Amino acid sequence: MSEVKLTQFSHGGGCGCKIAPAVLDSILKSATIQPDYPNLLVGNSSKDDAAIYDLGNGTALISTTDFFMPIVDDPYQFGRIAAANAISDVYAMGGKPIMALAILGWPVDKLSPEIAREVIEGGRSKCLEAGIPLAGGHSIDTTEPVFGLSVNGLAPIANIKKNNAAAEGDILFLTKPLGVGILATAQKRGLLEEADLAILINQLNQLNKAGEALGGIKGVHAMTDVTGFGLIGHLMEMSEGSNLSAMISYGKIPLLPAAVKLLAQKSTPDATFRNWNAYSSQVSFGKGVDVMQAFSILPDPQTNGGLLIAADPASIKEVQAVLNAFGLNGFTEPIGTMVAAGEKRIVVDL
């Protein structure tokens, strides 16, 4: 099992497997008139991280599903990463996960059941770390390996953080460095050094637990996690949904150390180009920004990426205190600001 390289059995990996934004929009279009569900607080009408249902007692049910093909070769680590990524959607809504179900697609004619068991065990271990049971699931025979979770969570309705509720003047924070897609692509091509692989796996495994605590801060107006559409895509969803623009400082965006080096080796995921094509018309760059580098970094598809937080300037110290409490000391400096809607939704300066 130790010699199996899971990424060689799939055409994509991690959240880079997401369907391109333009294609997804086409798929989701519907002429069906939906009835009004008064208790459904967040559903398909917005591009948020999870569905939210009012339980009628001041508490909301958070429900989400996420799964993908292997982003790393090790089966156990693949299971852990896929589970962490799925659980993140609950944290991104300001909630507390309570239970998960497994989703497994397995090419039984290519990969042994023992390897699938390692994947499940990895998922189980990450659920244990999050304090929730992996309570069941479903499996099918597929042509490529797929794993993920359906996760439920709870939160006081007042703590729910949508991705489309930012306010003008809000300060933006990002809790993990970008570059996951670049490093994962390098690994699949045999270009990633062992030390950088360890850094990649460590980041991919980190739970976004701070999201639950951030949910309790009234001045945190909007929150999402940065995944397959890259920082540019998820910031676009926040800007458009809030009818604002975002001004970000490129030099303040945290990057994985090896990312820039690997770009020189043509380690750019295909999903980067799809993301850029979807959002670039709404992005402008200030003088001095390395546009070619930014083109590869901002749309880089993240897996289990950091939380993107829009907070009232008066709440900065509260947000920073939470980040420090969860060991996110290196991510307490803002990367940008939400401003009145302008000609472009995202403005990138130095």
Side-chain angles (χ1 to χ4, degrees), residues 313-338:
S315 300
I316 285 180
K317 288 186 178 179
E318 282 184 272
V319 171
Q320 290 172 329
V322 167
L323 297 181
N324 284 324
F326 282 86
L328 299 170
N329 312 65
F331 306 96
T332 57
E333 291 303 312
I335 65 164
T337 308
M338 301 301 293

Side-chain angles (χ1 to χ4, degrees), residues 22-58:
V23 178
L24 182 59
D25 285 343
S26 177
I27 292 171
L28 294 178
K29 283 182 180 177
S30 174
T32 303
I33 298 174
Q34 293 292 327
D36 181 33
Y37 297 100
N39 285 45
L40 184 64
L41 305 181
V42 178
N44 276 332
S45 60
S46 65
K47 300 176 180 179
D48 223 317
D49 298 301
I52 306 293
Y53 191 86
D54 183 355
L55 295 176
N57 58 358

Side-chain angles (χ1 to χ4, degrees), residues 240-266:
E240 287 184 339
S242 305
N243 194 26
L244 297 168
S245 290
M247 294 188 66
I248 57 174
S249 299
Y250 185 68
K252 294 182 179 179
I253 295 172
L255 303 177
L256 286 168
V260 175
K261 174 186 68 178
L262 289 165
L263 285 176
Q265 301 179 44
K266 309 298 182 185

